[in-house]
Amino acid sequence: GAVVSQHPSWVICKSGTSVKIECRSLDFQATTMFWYRQFPKQSLMLMATSNEGSKATYEQGVEKDKFLINHASLTLSTLTVTSAHPEDSSFYICSARVGFTGDPYNEQFFGPGTRLTVL
Amino acid sequence: GDSVTQMEGPVTLSEEAFLTINCTYTATGYPSLFWYVQYPGEGLQLLLKATKADDKGSNKGFEATYRKETTSFHLEKGSVQVSDSAVYFCALASGGSYIPTFGRGTSLIVHP
């Protein structure tokens, strides 16, 4: 199946700094990429959806100025957590799909996740 | 809004035992239903899916039937293996975006 990678797999940073997480589709071109956040023993919460070349669409309650998403190419999306604080500590997961939203048969492929710890 | 409820884990079984992980959903319209599996250190993988009522999704010995009348999509396997140890997520997708809404995940631990 298609492979999605994330880098780094874990990161520890000081409060107030910014952290960038990369999501890459390794063997396919991803028209749409998604960013999720997962708390311990909780479900995946969709943060934002991005289509290549356009601005990301953020879910209600997600601060777009804090979680900057860039989908500059068909194989790369980045999530930057700006001025991180301890409450931003979480597991961040990206996924990618070939088609645009609205296609019910278009499978999402998930990355392995990035563990962010803010001290 | 749409939501998925699945049984809390961990579910601990011996090898070759029968597995059931319950999943119920609330949605408007007619959603597609999915089970995803997450092995340790890996991303979520689609395990099986069903797109309409009474459909049965199956893969790797796992099965789930789309039950509209009970709004359920329970995951079953007749004989689990140690290699099945993972976290299993039930999900639905509906509406124009077809972006999945996930349950909380159920951890399965299979002992030899």
Side-chain angles (χ1 to χ4, degrees):
Chain A
V3 178
V4 175
S5 70
Q6 282 185 240
H7 178 81
S9 55
W10 59 270
V11 57
I12 301 173
C13 70
K14 292 182 178 180
S15 186
T17 61
S18 294
V19 174
K20 180 184 284 188
I21 302 170
E22 291 186 350
C23 175
R24 293 182 184 272
S25 56
L26 298 186
D27 50 4
F28 68 102
Q29 293 184 325
T31 306
T32 307
M33 286 185 166
F34 306 87
W35 287 95
Y36 295 85
R37 185 173 178 176
Q38 185 181 26
F39 293 100
K41 298 185 179 181
Q42 304 264 343
S43 66
L44 279 72
M45 293 178 55
L46 180 65
M47 299 175 65
T49 302
S50 71
N51 293 309
E52 184 267 340
S54 61
K55 290 184 178 180
T57 301
Y58 290 81
E59 295 299 299
Q60 193 171 10
V62 178
E63 298 178 61
K64 61 182 179 181
D65 293 332
K66 182 167 188 62
F67 299 100
L68 301 179
I69 291 171
N70 186 287
H71 189 171
S73 77
L74 286 171
T75 59
L76 173 65
S77 176
T78 59
L79 168 68
T80 301
V81 183
T82 62
S83 187
H85 292 283
E87 57 266 29
D88 299 324
S89 299
S90 193
F91 195 56
Y92 293 89
I93 301 173
C94 76
S95 71
R97 65 199 282 180
V98 174
F100 291 98
T101 56
D103 182 348
Y105 304 108
N106 217 317
E107 183 177 346
Q108 285 192 35
F109 300 96
F110 288 81
T114 297
R115 173 75 59 192
L116 170 63
T117 302
V118 184
L119 303 177
Chain B
D2 295 350
S3 66
V4 175
T5 302
Q6 59 182 108
M7 59 190 291
E8 287 195 28
V11 173
T12 304
L13 296 173
S14 297
E15 204 165 24
E16 299 184 1
F18 184 85
L19 167 72
T20 299
I21 300 178
N22 290 337
C23 171
T24 56
Y25 67 90
T26 303
T28 55
Y30 303 97
S32 294
L33 302 175
F34 308 85
W35 276 101
Y36 287 84
V37 58
Q38 184 177 31
Y39 298 103
E42 299 183 15
L44 276 71
Q45 302 173 24
L46 179 63
L47 180 60
L48 54 84
K49 66 181 180 183
T51 56
K52 61 183 188 296
D54 299 325
D55 269 2
K56 177 184 285 187
S58 62
N59 185 25
K60 299 181 181 179
F62 291 90
E63 293 183 341
T65 301
Y66 190 143
R67 301 287 188 197
K68 187 172 182 294
E69 64 276 11
T70 55
T71 61
S72 65
F73 192 55
H74 305 321
L75 182 69
E76 297 181 336
K77 186 174 186 181
S79 176
V80 293
Q81 306 299 312
V82 173
S83 57
D84 294 326
S85 298
V87 180
Y88 292 82
F89 292 88
C90 184
L92 68 82
S94 64
S97 66
Y98 289 96
I99 297 173
T101 297
F102 291 90
R104 291 190 173 191
T106 302
S107 175
L108 170 65
I109 302 170
V110 180
H111 293 295

